[in-house]
Amino acid sequence: MDTPSTAYLDHTRKLLDARAARARERAGAADAGGASGGGSEAPSPSWQRIAADAEELRGELRDLALDLHDHPEEAFEEHHAAAALAQLLRAHGHRVETGVGGLPTALRAVAQTPGGGTSEIEGDGGDARDGGPTVAILAEYDALPGLGHGCGHNIIAAAGVGAFLAAARELERGVTGPGRIVLLGTPAEEGHTGKEHMIRGGAFDGIDAAVMVHPFGYDLAEHAWVGRRTMTATFRGISAHASSQPFMGRNALDAATLAYQGFGLLRQQMPPSDRLHAVIDSGGRRPSVIPDEARLSVYVRSLIPAALRDLSARVDDVLLGAARMAGVDVELDWDIHPPSLPVRNNHVLARRWARTQVLRGRTALPGGILPDSLAASTDFGNVSHLVPGIHPMIKIGPDDAALHTARFAECARSKAGVDAAVDAAAGLAQVAVDMLDEPELLAAARAAFEAAGGRLAVADYLG
Ligand SMILES: [Zn+2]
Ligand SMILES: [Zn+2]
């Protein structure tokens, strides 16, 4: 018997320490009259120009959001969407590269200040010495099987492209600090881990920070997202006549059933940060034949990377134990898709986002107010463990309109959806431009990233 993991308690302790530190920081910022990255509501000097640019783009962003909504495409098949984004970017004079990071439907466009280094994104990330930092704005555009844009990724795309175009104009004016803004079109989020493929394909090399937005029923500067691993367990037994010679069989479906029950009992001992779901994909064809094969598909999730790893080991034990009880073999195939980590919200950048949204008449709540239990998974988790990043949520409908529903798909083509895309375009552009303008903002974001544990590559951690 192994000792119960302390991962959850360790995490909770760190969280409390971090909250105390942030409370102290806020008190200090108030004393100093609003420090860098703080909650002051005074707009950045570029705000009026960026907000006006986002407003001017409203018609094109609406058309893009509605076009994508009318042509929903599932993971890795977003050809119409990628072409629509590229067309809009080219219409504004940008060069667009497709097939980025090895994904045919991924794309990239780059804007840089006149002194902002080379047009190639490579090396170890810029800073003031080599032409300024490189900030990525991410745009998702995949849809859900049978639900179209029930997760509102058409709004993410419109917001991301709008943010890039608005930020690029500001760079062209020559009024910002040196650096680059990169738009990355990131396919295959739903049920997959497109961004991890792009990370492994080099698309995030040289990026210093990454920002994106997701539509929701609330305005949140930070939200909890659980990491996720996928696995398939295939039980193999011996088939036999279920009536005349059952004693000659070894029942694979029994093992799948025992494992499923085992998961149910295991949940009782899981920390509240964790989730475990399974379905029985196959389990025999007719009752008179003892099934010689049964398959379980399993999702393992957690808010905490270490707890995700711990839970994976417990799941292995349940599956191996079930196989042993039924006297069958089992094959465990982990990470059929690359795993995703929980999202690590960068508090410094999240506060800056919240400041932009106040100027759009929105109150983006800080983390911890909406319960962490309302958490799904996103491949942005892996990006957020690579560089400082934010994944704020923007309200496009009532708070009981849940993601992945037909009702949410309606919100994603409503006026509220388009309004959110414009508000988010302005907000993301501002946060990105501020990182070029204020070296101390990026420095504070990097310090927060390091304080939260620094870089964590999912392939090394869970591989
Ligand atoms: Zn989704
Ligand atoms: Zn989504």
Side-chain angles (χ1 to χ4, degrees):
M1 185 182 71
D2 59 353
T3 320
S5 164
T6 61
Y8 187 69
L9 296 178
D10 294 345
H11 173 77
T12 306
R13 196 173 308 115
K14 264 193 248 167
L15 210 63
L16 290 173
D17 290 347
R19 275 186 187 149
R22 278 157 65 191
R24 283 195 297 274
E25 202 178 296
R26 269 197 295 275
D31 288 343
S36 144
S40 159
E41 290 175 16
S44 301
S46 48
W47 175 253
Q48 295 301 341
R49 293 188 298 269
I50 287 176
D53 282 337
E55 204 53 56
E56 197 189 309
L57 291 164
R58 177 181 290 270
E60 286 169 293
L61 301 184
R62 183 194 57 228
D63 291 349
L64 178 65
L66 298 186
D67 180 20
L68 267 52
H69 200 284
D70 289 341
H71 300 91
E73 297 162 306
E74 292 175 29
F76 300 114
E77 290 165 11
E78 310 93 333
H79 298 285
H80 178 90
L85 265 71
Q87 191 181 12
L88 181 53
L89 290 161
R90 288 187 184 119
H92 284 268
H94 292 283
R95 212 162 59 85
V96 179
E97 189 188 340
T98 53
V100 176
L103 298 187
T105 53
L107 62 85
R108 170 164 57 202
V110 182
Q112 61 187 16
T113 51
T118 69
S119 61
E120 297 301 319
I121 302 305
E122 55 187 24
D124 62 351
D127 60 26
R129 287 185 304 279
D130 64 2
T134 299
V135 178
I137 298 169
L138 311 189
E140 297 175 2
Y141 30 78
D142 59 326
L144 288 155
L147 276 172
H149 277 288
C151 208
H153 293 187
N154 61 319
I155 300 298
I156 301 179
V161 171
F164 173 77
L165 292 174
R169 285 186 187 178
E170 192 64 2
L171 267 57
E172 284 158 17
R173 290 183 187 110
V175 293
T176 68
R180 289 167 293 272
I181 307 277
V182 179
L183 177 75
L184 285 177
T186 59
E189 189 278 333
E190 293 294 354
H192 291 270
T193 338
K195 292 181 193 64
E196 179 61 23
H197 289 292
M198 290 179 71
I199 289 170
R200 293 178 189 184
F204 284 84
D205 293 357
I207 301 290
D208 292 287
V211 299
M212 66 170 288
V213 70
H214 198 294
F216 204 37
Y218 302 85
D219 281 307
L220 307 173
E222 303 179 30
H223 185 43
W225 292 80
V226 281
R228 187 190 69 181
R229 298 186 76 183
T230 55
M231 73 99 64
T232 300
T234 307
F235 296 100
R236 291 199 180 85
I238 300 169
S239 143
H241 194 291
S243 179
S244 70
Q245 291 192 342
F247 45 85
M248 293 304 290
R250 288 287 182 270
N251 194 324
L253 179 60
D254 281 0
T257 309
L258 287 164
Y260 190 79
Q261 301 295 333
F263 290 158
L265 297 173
L266 173 60
R267 272 192 202 100
Q268 197 180 203
Q269 275 69 241
M270 277 165 31
S273 54
D274 293 7
R275 299 276 186 283
L276 177 57
H277 341 280
V279 292
I280 299 179
D281 282 334
S282 68
R285 278 172 295 279
R286 61 177 61 207
S288 62
V289 180
I290 287 182
D292 61 353
E293 189 173 302
R295 208 169 54 235
L296 272 178
S297 281
V298 186
Y299 280 9
V300 181
R301 309 195 205 227
S302 180
L303 288 166
I304 308 163
L308 183 63
R309 202 160 58 173
D310 292 340
L311 182 58
S312 305
R314 301 300 314 277
V315 163
D316 274 348
D317 286 347
V318 168
L319 292 163
L320 294 170
R324 190 89 190 267
M325 279 194 281
V328 303
D329 292 333
V330 63
E331 184 185 316
L332 308 179
D333 294 313
W334 277 98
D335 304 326
I336 301 135
H337 312 302
S340 57
L341 288 168
V343 168
R344 178 195 283 164
N345 291 294
N346 191 281
H347 308 309
V348 173
L349 299 178
R351 283 203 296 276
R352 185 57 61 105
W353 162 266
R355 194 171 92 175
T356 70
Q357 294 307 289
V358 168
L359 299 165
R360 305 296 297 191
R362 294 174 183 267
T363 303
L365 299 173
I369 292 180
L370 192 74
D372 286 356
S373 57
L374 300 175
S377 302
T378 168
D379 56 4
F380 185 79
N382 298 7
V383 176
S384 73
H385 280 79
L386 202 64
V387 291
I390 50 167
H391 187 282
M393 311 298 281
I394 193 159
K395 184 176 174 63
I396 67 164
D399 58 14
D400 59 347
L403 299 179
H404 293 202
T405 60
R407 191 167 168 222
F408 198 79
E410 280 171 32
C411 300
R413 68 167 297 128
S414 67
K415 180 178 181 301
V418 174
D419 289 345
V422 176
D423 290 347
L428 291 177
Q430 187 68 66
V431 175
V433 165
D434 282 352
M435 279 189 261
L436 270 55
D437 275 342
E438 301 173 36
E440 62 276 13
L441 176 67
L442 184 56
R446 280 176 172 153
F449 178 79
E450 292 303 327
R455 190 175 170 138
L456 184 64
V458 74
D460 302 337
Y461 192 73
L462 295 171

